[in-house]
């Protein structure tokens, strides 16, 4: 089905409404002008007829007075005054012609005046030469003459009405053209950017994330739409890059332990239990299997987080116990990595309402990252209370994170350092877990000087550790 553009819909709907409105205005103006001018002429003719009637009503010599009034009628250049006999015939006219040219024509105004209570009537009609006229008849009470009739041509009035109507029609056409061009310009100012957005959206759908909608300075809704679209395109391009980096990183991360497991499995099968390589091979297999398991767990947690299926089993708990366990778990790994892991264990205990397994997962993730990025330096773990908040900090003196990458470290799949192993989703999962506990995860870092991760959790009360035992 053919697509109908916004401009076409606007033209058909809005412009048609304007056109009909202006047509109604023109027709209304025409009839209003006609009503006004014809009414003025009707009133003027009636006034002239009544003046003659008033003069005649004071005359004793009726017939000579009528004849004299008609012959001396001073408006004969603009209208014609007639005297109608009792048998309905025009006997005298101010033009001096006898018989009058209209004597063979019907006089509807005379017929209406004879039956009207006001004894006066008017009529608008056409002469045989197609000239429009208006006639007003006033009935008399004499015997020889039954009525007087005033007739005038409406040609000049009609020309004036037609001229005024034509001027208004021309103005209406000018207004319509102005509205058309203005509307088309306005519509194009909307349609063109929308078409560009549509074309760019098609490219995005096809996988081309490089296209952007470039407009001149525009602070209206269209400009805002284009800015939002460009921001979305930037996010999609960044997400696509992060996804590709993630796939590459995960592929590498999966390939390394799988290769080690496969190689050492073959070695173990070939050498047997008595060989020195057996124990070493089993340790490697166990270690790499654990790495794979942790990676799969991170991926599963991330999938649950994305779909809203990450559930927490909350209860009153002491997070410092989980922190102590996490430090103990990584003490041996830190020693192997030649990292000095220092835990300044606090002398107090604290309660929070949370999921202890998930909180422990966060601690393990943060400490693991600190050891990996410390580069054989030192990792210090501290805990303190401040304004009903538990603040746990894990600091290293490793490579640090650049100011450009720091805002993105908690973004899914993002890795500031691709040399260090990892999937890039651990911090995203940790941040989600901490937010679910109404806390915050803050990362402070300076490139070349190290990184500090702060876990801030709302506490439900604290006391000395000896009092809780």
């Amino acid at each position: 089905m053919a697509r109908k553009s916004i401009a076409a819909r606007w033209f058909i709907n809005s412009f048609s409404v304007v056109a009909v409105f202006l047509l109604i205005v023109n027709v209304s103006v025409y009839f209003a002008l006609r009503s006004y001018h014809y009414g003025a002429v009707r009133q003027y003719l009636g006034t002239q007829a009544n003046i003659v009637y008033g003069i005649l009503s004071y005359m004793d010599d009726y017939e000579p007075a009528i004849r004299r009034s008609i012959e001396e009628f001073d408006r004969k250049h603009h209208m014609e005054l007639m005297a109608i006999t009792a048998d309905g015939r025009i006997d005298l006219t101010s033009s001096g012609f006898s018989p009058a040219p209209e004597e063979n024509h019907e006089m509807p105004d005379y017929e209406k005046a004879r039956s009207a209570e006001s004894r006066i009537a008017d009529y608008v009609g056409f002469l045989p030469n197609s000239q429009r006229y208006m006639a007003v008849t006033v009935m008399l009470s004499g015997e020889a003459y039954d009525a007087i009739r005033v007739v005038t041509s409406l040609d000049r009035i009609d020309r004036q009405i037609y001229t005024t109507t034509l001027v208004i029609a021309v103005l209406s056409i000018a207004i319509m053209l102005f509205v058309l061009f203005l509307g088309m310009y306005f519509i194009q100012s909307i349609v063109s950017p929308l078409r560009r957005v549509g074309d760019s959206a098609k490219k995005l759908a096809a996988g081309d994330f490089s296209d952007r909608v470039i407009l001149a300075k525009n602070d209206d809704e269209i400009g805002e739409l284009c800015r939002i679209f460009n921001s979305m395109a930037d996010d999609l391009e960044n997400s696509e890059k992060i996804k590709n980096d993630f796939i590459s990183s995960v592929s590498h991360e999966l390939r390394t332990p799988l290769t080690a497991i496969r190689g050492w499995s073959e070695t173990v099968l070939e050498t047997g239990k008595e060989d020195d390589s057996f124990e070493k091979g089993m340790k490697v297999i166990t270690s790499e299997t654990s790495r794979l398991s942790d990676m799969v767990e991170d991926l599963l947690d991330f999938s649950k987080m994305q779909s809203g299926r990450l559930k927490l089993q909350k209860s009153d708990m002491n997070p410092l116990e989980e922190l102590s366990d996490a430090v103990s778990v990584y003490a041996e790994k830190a020693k192997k990595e030649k990292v000095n892991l220092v835990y300044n264990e606090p002398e107090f205990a604290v309660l929070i309402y949370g999921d202890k397994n998930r909180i422990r997962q966060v601690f393990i993730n943060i400490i693991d990252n600190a050891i990996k990025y410390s580069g054989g330096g030192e990792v210090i773990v501290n805990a303190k209370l401040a304004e009903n908040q538990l603040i746990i900090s894990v600091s290293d003196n490793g490579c640090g994170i650049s100011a450009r990458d720091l805002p993105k470290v908690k973004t899914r799949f993002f890795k500031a350092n691709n040399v260090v192993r990892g999937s890039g989703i651990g911090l995203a999962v940790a941040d989600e877990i901490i937010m679910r506990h109404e806390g915050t995860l803050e990362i402070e870092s300076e490139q070349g000087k190290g990184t500090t991760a702060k876990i801030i959790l709302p506490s439900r009360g604290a006391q000395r550790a000896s009092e809780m035992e």
Side-chain angles (χ1 to χ4, degrees):
M1 185 175 66
R3 182 181 63 181
K4 186 180 291 186
S5 69
I6 294 176
R9 288 202 302 271
W10 177 86
F11 181 83
I12 293 173
N13 298 329
S14 302
F15 187 72
S16 298
V17 170
V18 173
V20 170
F21 173 75
L22 290 176
L23 178 62
I24 293 173
V25 168
N26 276 266
V27 172
S28 300
V29 167
Y30 169 76
F31 283 105
L33 287 173
R34 179 174 171 177
S35 175
Y36 172 77
H37 287 293
Y38 279 23
V41 172
R42 185 179 296 109
Q43 184 178 3
Y44 185 70
L45 293 180
T47 300
Q48 294 300 318
N50 283 322
I51 289 173
V52 175
Y53 175 79
I55 293 172
L56 294 177
S57 64
Y58 291 102
M59 297 293 180
D60 296 330
D61 195 2
Y62 200 71
E63 289 187 30
I66 290 178
R67 186 177 298 277
R68 188 168 55 254
S69 296
I70 292 176
E71 290 176 352
E72 297 175 358
F73 186 58
D74 59 351
R75 304 288 182 181
K76 62 178 66 178
H77 297 296
H78 303 289
M79 61 192 70
E80 190 168 8
L81 182 62
M82 304 175 182
I84 303 174
T85 61
D87 57 359
R89 182 176 58 85
I90 298 174
D91 185 54
L92 299 171
T93 68
S94 58
S95 62
F97 291 103
S98 184
E102 294 84 359
E103 61 183 351
N104 295 324
H105 295 286
E106 295 181 356
M107 296 182 290
D109 49 302
Y110 171 65
E111 299 298 333
K112 289 193 293 183
R114 293 179 63 181
S115 58
E117 292 183 7
S118 61
R119 307 283 288 171
I120 186 171
D122 61 84
Y123 174 73
V124 176
F126 291 92
L127 295 174
N129 60 0
S130 300
Q131 184 179 18
R132 193 192 296 270
Y133 72 94
M134 180 182 289
V136 175
T137 298
V138 177
M139 300 302 297
L140 301 174
S141 56
E143 296 180 359
Y145 293 99
D146 195 31
I148 57 173
R149 187 177 188 233
V150 184
V151 181
T152 188
S153 172
L154 294 175
D155 278 357
R156 189 167 61 87
I157 297 298
D158 285 344
R159 283 197 300 271
Q160 185 177 352
I161 293 173
Y162 293 148
T163 300
T164 305
T165 305
L166 180 61
V167 170
I168 295 175
V170 171
L171 288 175
S172 297
I173 293 173
I175 291 172
M176 291 172 65
L177 291 175
F178 176 75
V179 171
L180 173 63
F181 289 120
L182 185 64
M184 293 304 294
Y185 172 78
F186 176 71
I187 288 297
Q188 286 303 317
S189 68
I190 296 176
V191 171
S192 295
L194 289 181
R195 283 176 180 166
R196 281 187 245 172
V197 171
D199 293 339
S200 297
K202 290 178 182 177
K203 292 181 180 180
L204 287 180
D208 181 4
F209 300 100
S210 62
D211 195 41
R212 298 293 183 273
V213 181
I214 306 299
L215 290 178
K217 185 178 179 181
N218 201 341
D219 296 329
D220 57 12
E221 291 83 355
I222 296 297
E224 181 67 16
L225 172 64
C226 293
R227 285 189 289 273
I228 292 173
F229 179 87
N230 288 338
S231 176
M232 178 193 70
D234 291 338
D235 291 341
L236 287 175
E237 184 177 22
N238 187 53
S239 296
E240 182 70 10
K241 181 179 181 301
I242 291 174
K243 184 194 74 173
N244 292 334
D245 291 344
F246 166 74
I247 292 173
S248 175
S249 176
V250 168
S251 299
H252 176 74
E253 292 292 329
L254 291 174
R255 187 188 301 116
T256 301
L258 287 174
T259 300
I261 291 171
R262 180 179 178 181
W264 280 102
S265 297
E266 292 174 352
T267 301
V268 168
L269 288 174
E270 291 174 358
T271 58
K273 293 184 179 181
E274 286 74 16
D275 195 280
D276 294 337
S277 300
F278 179 82
E279 184 177 355
K280 182 179 180 181
M282 291 305 296
K283 288 181 178 179
V284 171
I285 291 172
T286 301
S287 173
E288 296 302 318
T289 302
S290 177
R291 276 185 59 198
L292 284 175
S293 177
D294 291 342
M295 193 178 302
V296 171
E297 288 296 326
D298 282 345
L299 291 172
L300 288 174
D301 286 341
F302 177 74
S303 175
K304 290 177 182 179
M305 183 182 74
Q306 290 293 97
S307 61
R309 294 182 293 109
L310 184 64
K311 304 298 182 183
L312 301 179
Q313 304 296 325
K314 289 185 177 182
S315 62
D316 287 337
M317 57 162 290
N318 181 7
L320 296 179
E321 292 180 356
E322 306 305 321
L323 179 61
S324 180
D325 288 347
V327 171
S328 298
V329 167
Y330 275 90
E332 188 64 27
K333 179 179 179 180
K335 189 180 296 183
K336 289 182 180 180
E337 298 284 342
K338 297 181 180 180
V339 174
N340 182 25
L341 177 59
V342 179
Y343 175 37
N344 298 317
E345 189 169 0
E347 296 181 355
F348 61 86
V350 65
L351 288 177
I352 69 167
Y353 185 66
D355 186 328
K356 65 178 183 178
N357 292 324
R358 293 298 181 184
I359 292 294
R360 186 171 184 269
Q361 178 184 351
V362 172
F363 294 155
I364 287 175
N365 183 285
I366 298 298
I367 295 172
D368 182 53
N369 277 348
I371 292 173
K372 283 192 297 187
Y373 287 96
S374 66
E378 186 176 55
V379 174
I380 301 175
V381 181
N382 287 307
K384 66 177 182 178
L385 282 172
E387 298 180 356
N388 294 324
Q389 288 183 325
L390 172 64
I391 303 175
I392 297 170
S393 63
V394 180
S395 303
D396 66 72
N397 57 357
C399 59
I401 304 169
S402 67
R404 183 186 63 182
D405 292 334
L406 187 59
K408 299 182 283 187
V409 292
K410 293 188 286 185
T411 305
R412 61 188 187 278
F413 308 140
F414 180 80
K415 290 179 64 179
N417 189 339
N418 289 317
V419 177
V420 181
R421 297 178 305 177
S423 62
I425 58 176
L427 279 181
V429 174
D431 187 52
E432 178 71 17
I433 292 172
I434 294 301
M435 283 196 298
R436 295 282 188 93
H437 285 81
E438 299 179 0
T440 56
L441 172 61
E442 298 177 358
I443 307 295
E444 300 173 355
S445 183
E446 186 175 349
Q447 195 166 18
K449 293 187 178 181
T451 302
T452 298
K454 288 185 179 180
I455 302 166
I456 304 173
L457 293 167
S459 67
R460 307 189 73 173
Q463 53 187 304
R464 296 184 63 83
S466 57
E467 295 176 359
M468 296 188 68
E469 293 178 353

